Amino acid sequence: MRKNGVLMAISSLPSGYGIGDLGPGAFSFVDYLAETGVNIWQILPFNRLGYGNSPYQTASSIAGDEIYISIDNLVEDGYLALREISHFDEDATRVDYDAVRWFKAKYLRKAFAHFQENFPRYERAYTVFLEENPWVYNYSVFLTLKDENNLTCWTNWIPAHRDWIKNRDLNLTPYEEDIAYYQFLQFIFFSQWDRLKHYANESGIEIMGDLPYYVGIDSLDVWENQQCFLLAQDGEPSYVAGVPPDYFNEDGQRWGNPIYNWDVLQKDGFRFWIERLRLNMNVFDSIRLDHFRAFDTYWKIAAEEDTAIVGAWIEAPGYAFFDALFQALPDINIVVEDLGDLRPEVLALRDHYGFTGMEIMQFSFGKRRLPAPKRAVGENTIAYTGTHDNQTTLGWFLELKETDQKKVKSYLKRHGYKGSISEQMIQYTLDSGANVAIIPVWDILGLDDSARMNTPSTIGPPNWEWKLADYDLFEEKLDSYAAWLTQYGRTAFSPPQAGET
């Protein structure tokens, strides 16, 4: 069956608390998807946000950010009393992360107090959770010590704190309460997540997670696995990640993430990567593996360079890694982000393992090439109008030259697509030869670049802040969207046969 999906970050869901969360708004979203015939909900990483509130610069590859914990669910589950709750910025269309985090913290602390006072009620489930997720303890120590060091990066902590992960010499007794609090937050987060995911799966919706290729320096991943990265004596990166200059960025992109020490990783049987993927495999139905090309070759930049202009392409042991991965996790379901100007070896690596790649339909048009034939997209592909890193479809179209706008309009009209430019591009994507087509919510809504999630090479607002105030416009659009899913053979429903009513 040709599948379809919708891209929507949890942070962008409507809620009464200034940010989307794992509560009623998420369950309503699942209901809308199921009623429309959608098969897949693709989310962005939900891990604890780091620098710039980017979901691709997180404090852990697996830990959930407590900012997404539903206050409403805490009330429903008895951790909080309804009379204690007030809403926060209910009509927000942008996320103020600092304000939301401060607002929610007082309720999370109250819920923790209730948990401690009534611990026997939760003890069995809590104990099982910690036994099944031993990473939670080190993560909780990491955040506790980070708090003790004024939220600075672990490389700047006092030596006794910085080196605990290596020698365990520090007495953590004075910090037990805070460590327990962070463990509690993970227990609650994944209790709520598991409930939502189960509801989605029961409704016929698969959830596709998103795993960044690199991790941030200020993360449990690096603190706990320093030998797996190219670091200087002080723990700071000696080399950092990015991509070289291209058509869109004359200085390239200097991301700043530490580079992997692939020699150490390979000698260890790629333990760090396999465990990282195993944990995510247990959380999602499928995983979108970001920046796939770096498993073939990655851009290595000396840390002292201010831009990504000076660097070198270094080969990675891609085949050895994926052979080890599938031996360890034969049932893992991966799709890969294979966008950009790639050397043939990247595509050979992708095809050797039969990975599903990606196609951005906006890129069928533009300054450098004419529209591609609508069936040119390969079957083993996920087609998107655009992703979180692209302009919205309307924003993209409005910035085209008038001659290119006419070219796009002519092509889409010639193939029978109707409606606004966003609606026509959605039909064009659904009509492609790809086995899966995924449409971002902002394109279903027909929004301009005020709804853009992220502009690569930029940091801070307005990146990652867009959210829905309510579902009113989304609900209005779903009848047309459902009709297109049926028309292009992508719905989970069976259309009536001749003679049926």
Side-chain angles (χ1 to χ4, degrees):
M1 181 184 72
R2 282 156 55 85
K3 291 186 176 182
N4 79 92
V6 171
L7 170 60
M8 179 65 155
I10 292 171
S11 61
S12 298
L13 296 168
S15 83
Y17 304 97
I19 190 171
D21 59 35
L22 303 177
F27 284 80
S28 294
F29 188 67
V30 169
D31 289 340
Y32 283 121
L33 298 186
E35 291 165 6
T36 307
V38 174
N39 314 118
I40 300 167
W41 176 10
Q42 180 180 334
I43 67 171
L44 299 183
F46 59 35
N47 313 113
R48 197 173 205 269
L49 299 169
Y51 185 58
N53 291 314
S54 168
Y56 295 89
Q57 293 279 359
T58 62
S60 166
S61 290
I62 183 63
D65 195 324
E66 64 269 19
I67 203 170
Y68 304 125
I69 290 176
S70 166
I71 302 301
D72 292 327
N73 285 5
L74 289 175
V75 172
E76 181 181 342
D77 294 339
Y79 290 97
L80 298 171
L82 182 61
R83 65 179 181 278
E84 298 177 302
I85 305 303
S86 62
H87 284 182
F88 173 80
D89 209 0
E90 295 181 70
D91 300 322
T93 57
R94 313 295 307 181
V95 178
D96 184 337
Y97 285 95
D98 290 341
V100 171
R101 198 174 293 280
W102 177 87
F103 175 83
K104 282 196 170 185
K106 61 179 178 290
Y107 292 116
L108 296 176
R109 284 288 180 181
K110 285 183 179 180
F112 178 54
H114 169 86
F115 170 79
Q116 290 179 304
E117 293 166 4
N118 299 272
F119 184 70
R121 185 192 310 177
Y122 307 107
E123 183 175 9
R124 186 172 183 277
Y126 180 69
T127 301
V128 169
F129 171 76
L130 293 182
E131 288 175 349
E132 293 179 348
N133 297 278
W135 59 267
V136 171
Y137 183 74
N138 281 356
Y139 172 74
S140 300
V141 173
F142 176 76
L143 290 189
T144 298
L145 296 181
K146 188 173 178 64
D147 290 341
E148 288 294 311
N149 288 271
N150 298 313
L151 302 181
T152 59
C153 181
W154 64 267
T155 57
N156 297 315
W157 294 354
I158 63 173
H161 292 175
R162 182 194 64 212
D163 297 337
W164 175 85
I165 197 68
K166 294 180 178 180
N167 56 37
R168 297 300 200 272
D169 284 347
L170 179 68
N171 178 13
L172 295 179
T173 303
Y175 310 113
E176 285 181 351
E177 180 83 358
D178 291 330
I179 293 170
Y181 173 65
Y182 283 118
Q183 289 179 301
F184 164 77
L185 293 181
Q186 290 306 297
F187 171 64
I188 293 298
F189 179 94
F190 282 103
S191 296
Q192 293 191 0
W193 171 256
D194 289 346
R195 191 184 312 169
L196 176 61
K197 182 176 180 293
H198 178 77
Y199 185 78
N201 291 164
E202 288 292 304
S203 301
I205 310 293
E206 302 172 14
I207 296 186
M208 181 188 295
D210 193 334
L211 185 69
Y213 177 83
Y214 289 112
V215 297
I217 180 65
D218 192 16
S219 66
L220 173 66
D221 302 272
V222 179
W223 186 54
E224 193 176 36
N225 300 278
Q226 295 172 43
Q227 73 282 0
C228 297
F229 300 87
L230 299 179
L231 305 178
Q233 283 294 110
D234 60 359
E236 296 290 345
S238 51
Y239 295 90
V240 297
V243 289
D246 58 19
Y247 181 80
F248 300 101
N249 298 280
E250 62 180 16
D251 290 334
Q253 297 180 46
R254 184 189 184 280
W255 299 329
N257 306 74
I259 294 285
Y260 293 109
N261 188 333
W262 281 107
D263 290 339
V264 169
L265 287 167
Q266 189 161 5
K267 288 178 183 176
D268 194 28
F270 306 102
R271 176 196 57 80
F272 168 78
W273 260 104
I274 290 172
E275 180 65 7
R276 192 173 175 228
L277 281 160
R278 182 186 69 79
L279 291 169
N280 279 271
M281 173 185 172
N282 293 338
V283 174
F284 304 111
D285 297 302
S286 61
I287 301 169
R288 172 191 176 273
L289 196 54
D290 192 46
H291 197 49
F292 173 74
R293 72 137 316 137
F295 288 105
D296 170 72
T297 44
Y298 56 91
W299 190 243
K300 182 180 179 183
I301 309 164
E304 60 267 21
E305 295 290 338
D306 293 329
T307 72
I309 295 174
V310 179
W313 285 114
I314 308 297
E315 290 193 0
Y319 288 94
F321 165 68
F322 284 112
D323 284 347
L325 173 66
F326 285 114
Q327 183 174 0
L329 304 174
D331 297 326
I332 193 167
N333 186 4
I334 292 173
V335 302
V336 301
E337 184 271 293
D338 57 344
L339 303 174
D341 294 327
L342 307 176
R343 69 176 195 156
E345 289 86 346
V346 180
L347 305 182
L349 178 65
R350 177 198 66 191
D351 295 343
H352 178 80
Y353 294 97
F355 290 137
T356 298
M358 294 173 55
E359 183 77 21
I360 306 301
M361 303 307 282
Q362 290 178 12
F363 295 167
S364 297
F365 306 90
K367 300 175 181 178
R368 294 195 289 176
R369 58 176 171 158
L370 294 171
K374 67 177 182 178
R375 293 296 177 188
V377 178
E379 288 187 3
N380 194 26
T381 302
I382 301 178
Y384 296 80
T385 50
T387 71
H388 62 274
D389 281 336
N390 296 107
Q391 293 178 271
T392 68
T393 289
L394 178 57
W396 159 78
F397 181 79
L398 292 176
E399 285 198 3
L400 293 177
K401 294 179 180 178
E402 185 177 352
T403 53
D404 289 326
Q405 288 183 348
K406 290 179 179 178
K407 188 189 305 180
V408 171
K409 285 181 176 180
S410 175
Y411 179 84
L412 296 173
K413 181 179 180 180
R414 189 164 67 248
H415 287 87
Y417 308 127
K418 298 177 181 179
S420 69
I421 187 63
S422 298
E423 292 170 334
Q424 290 181 66
M425 284 293 289
I426 289 172
Q427 294 166 65
Y428 172 47
T429 304
L430 295 175
D431 193 24
S432 73
N435 279 340
V436 180
I438 294 181
I439 311 299
V441 163
W442 45 85
D443 283 345
I444 294 175
L445 299 175
L447 301 179
D448 62 19
D449 275 348
S450 62
R452 183 172 185 172
M453 280 299 289
N454 180 54
T455 302
S457 299
T458 65
I459 298 171
N463 291 340
W464 315 114
E465 293 181 349
W466 176 79
K467 73 176 291 292
L468 285 179
D470 55 54
Y471 283 123
D472 292 350
L473 181 58
F474 185 60
E475 190 171 7
E476 288 177 20
K477 298 287 186 177
L478 289 182
D479 284 345
S480 294
Y481 191 69
W484 297 329
L485 295 181
T486 299
Q487 180 178 352
Y488 300 113
R490 293 192 182 276
T491 182
F493 306 140
S494 299
Q497 302 299 310
E500 294 183 355
T501 59

